[in-house]
């Protein structure tokens, strides 16, 4: 009797094999975004990956959409299909998720703890860190309150009633360093000039928020490069293809690093070039 039962189980496994081991079909994806080099490069990078992925030319042929940036993400949500936002402001992503969208997002910027780890490596004696925040910043006051490290974080909130210049003049003299989150609505060219000139007049270094600011005169930054965004996107797409549900929204897990060597040298930073800082950060647990 026992042999017969084993034989029956083996037969059922053989009959079920085609369905158990059937390949999951490729995911048909349409990329929503402004026409330009970034969208073209993003699509080419996705196409070059070995994952089962079918990049289609129309929304109608897609299983899901990718929205590059806030505007494209918002447009993609109107089609009633699953949407992955890429380089989307955290405030927008969390707002639509609270409304129950079938979506997720790779947030613009990098995690607060990651930027602080970089800052600590370059300025081990720093204690008082001012963090400028606006309505659409990648970090919130709550994120600063949740920080449990050795640094003291001071939120510098900018609003129509509390202008950037006033915030800088009031708080910056009492701080060791200034840290900026990604916030495209707050940190434009005019703000960059104001922040960098004010900080260097008071000899207070600035970290972040991204590559362009470092090139303009901030000390260093971790940032989400195009390659970082593509890698994170592929992880999300593969998860969705296999499970038909999104991973949790968040920042890229492996950001890039850049140092302005001239500025870092003028402040006698512990690491004054990109390669040395990258190596130091890779050694962190």
């Amino acid at each position: 009797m026992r042999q017969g039962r084993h034989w029956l189980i083996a037969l059922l496994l053989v009959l079920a094999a085609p369905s158990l081991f059937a390949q999951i079909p490729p995911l048909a994806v349409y990329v929503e975004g402004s026409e330009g080099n970034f969208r073209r490069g993003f699509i080419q990078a996705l196409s070059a990956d070995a994952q089962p992925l079918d990049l289609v030319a129309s929304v109608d042929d897609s299983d899901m959409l990718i929205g590059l940036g806030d505007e494209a993400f918002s447009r993609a949500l109107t089609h009633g299909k699953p949407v992955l936002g890429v380089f989307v402001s955290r405030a927008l992503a969390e707002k639509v998720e609270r409304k129950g969208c079938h979506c997720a997002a790779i947030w613009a910027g990098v995690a607060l703890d990651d930027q602080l780890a970089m800052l600590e490596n370059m300025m081990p004696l720093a204690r008082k860190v001012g963090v400028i925040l606006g309505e659409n910043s990648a970090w919130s006051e709550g994120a600063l309150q949740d920080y449990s490290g050795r640094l003291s974080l001071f939120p510098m909130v900018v609003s129509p009633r509390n202008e950037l210049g006033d915030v800088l003049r009031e708080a910056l003299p009492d701080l060791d360093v200034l840290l900026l989150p990604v916030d495209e609505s707050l940190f434009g060219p005019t703000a960059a000039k104001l922040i960098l000139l004010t900080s260097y007049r008071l000899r207070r270094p600035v970290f972040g928020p991204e590559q362009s600011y470092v090139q303009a005169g901030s000390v260093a930054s971790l940032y989400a490069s195009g390659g970082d965004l593509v890698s994170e996107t592929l992880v999300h797409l593969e998860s969705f293809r296999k499970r038909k549900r999104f991973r949790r929204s968040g920042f890229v897990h492996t950001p890039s690093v850049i140092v302005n060597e001239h500025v870092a040298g003028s402040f006698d930073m512990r690491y004054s070039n990109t390669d040395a800082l990258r190596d130091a950060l890779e050694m962190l647990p």
Side-chain angles (χ1 to χ4, degrees), residues 16-132:
S19 59
L20 285 174
F21 301 105
Q23 286 190 345
I24 303 171
L27 187 65
V29 176
Y30 177 76
V31 179
E32 178 80 49
S34 301
E35 290 296 332
N37 291 334
F38 181 75
R39 181 175 182 271
R40 285 193 294 272
F42 188 87
I43 291 173
Q44 288 172 0
L46 290 182
S47 303
D49 193 82
Q51 285 192 24
L53 190 63
D54 185 12
L55 291 166
V56 297
S58 72
V59 172
D60 293 338
D61 295 332
S62 66
D63 300 319
M64 68 170 293
L65 310 178
I66 293 176
L68 301 179
D70 285 5
E71 291 184 7
F73 180 58
S74 297
R75 286 198 306 271
L77 289 170
T78 65
H79 294 292
K81 293 192 173 188
V83 179
L84 175 65
V86 176
F87 204 77
V88 169
S89 63
R90 182 175 182 174
L92 173 61
E94 292 181 338
K95 178 181 177 181
V96 297
E97 285 179 1
R98 285 194 297 269
K99 292 181 178 179
C101 73
H102 190 188
C103 67
I106 301 168
W107 298 330
V110 300
L112 172 64
D113 284 350
D114 288 344
Q115 288 282 37
L116 289 173
M118 173 197 65
L119 188 155
E120 285 190 275
N121 265 270
M122 295 188 75
M123 292 187 67
L125 300 180
R127 290 296 181 269
K128 297 179 180 180
V129 181
V131 185
I132 297 180

Side-chain angles (χ1 to χ4, degrees), residues 53-280:
L53 190 63
D54 185 12
L55 291 166
V56 297
S58 72
V59 172
D60 293 338
D61 295 332
S62 66
D63 300 319
M64 68 170 293
L65 310 178
I66 293 176
L68 301 179
D70 285 5
E71 291 184 7
F73 180 58
S74 297
R75 286 198 306 271
L77 289 170
T78 65
H79 294 292
K81 293 192 173 188
V83 179
L84 175 65
V86 176
F87 204 77
V88 169
S89 63
R90 182 175 182 174
L92 173 61
E94 292 181 338
K95 178 181 177 181
V96 297
E97 285 179 1
R98 285 194 297 269
K99 292 181 178 179
C101 73
H102 190 188
C103 67
I106 301 168
W107 298 330
V110 300
L112 172 64
D113 284 350
D114 288 344
Q115 288 282 37
L116 289 173
M118 173 197 65
L119 188 155
E120 285 190 275
N121 265 270
M122 295 188 75
M123 292 187 67
L125 300 180
R127 290 296 181 269
K128 297 179 180 180
V129 181
V131 185
I132 297 180
L133 300 175
E135 290 184 359
N136 295 311
S137 295
W139 313 320
S140 64
E141 288 189 76
L144 270 63
Q145 292 169 0
D146 291 340
Y147 170 72
S148 58
R150 68 172 184 84
L151 298 171
S152 297
L153 306 186
F154 297 86
M156 302 165 63
V157 180
V158 177
S159 69
R161 292 177 295 179
N162 202 25
E163 294 185 351
L164 178 59
D166 295 333
V167 170
L168 288 170
R169 283 187 291 271
E170 180 179 347
L172 199 52
D174 298 323
L175 301 171
D176 297 324
V177 58
L178 192 59
L179 183 64
L180 310 181
V182 165
D183 187 333
E184 293 187 348
S185 63
L186 182 58
F187 298 125
T190 301
K193 183 177 181 180
L194 174 61
I195 291 169
L196 294 172
L197 288 177
T198 305
S199 65
Y200 290 127
R201 188 166 60 245
L202 296 172
R203 292 293 296 170
R204 299 298 189 272
V206 179
F207 284 81
E210 54 193 347
Q211 192 174 17
S212 61
Y213 255 71
V214 177
Q215 293 167 345
S218 70
V219 176
S221 183
L222 294 180
Y223 67 100
S225 70
D228 300 332
L229 293 170
V230 169
S231 296
E232 198 78 14
T233 297
L234 289 168
V235 172
H236 278 266
L237 292 180
E238 183 64 4
S239 176
F240 188 89
R241 187 179 73 89
K242 290 180 176 178
R243 301 173 180 84
K244 299 303 178 187
R245 58 185 175 85
F246 284 110
R247 292 165 56 91
R248 180 180 296 181
S249 297
F251 297 108
V252 296
H253 286 85
T254 53
S256 297
V257 61
I258 183 173
V259 176
N260 186 317
E261 297 186 8
H262 173 73
V263 177
S266 71
F267 281 105
D268 295 323
M269 294 289 171
R270 184 179 180 185
Y271 297 101
S272 59
N273 68 77
T274 299
D275 291 338
L277 179 59
R278 184 187 298 112
D279 292 343

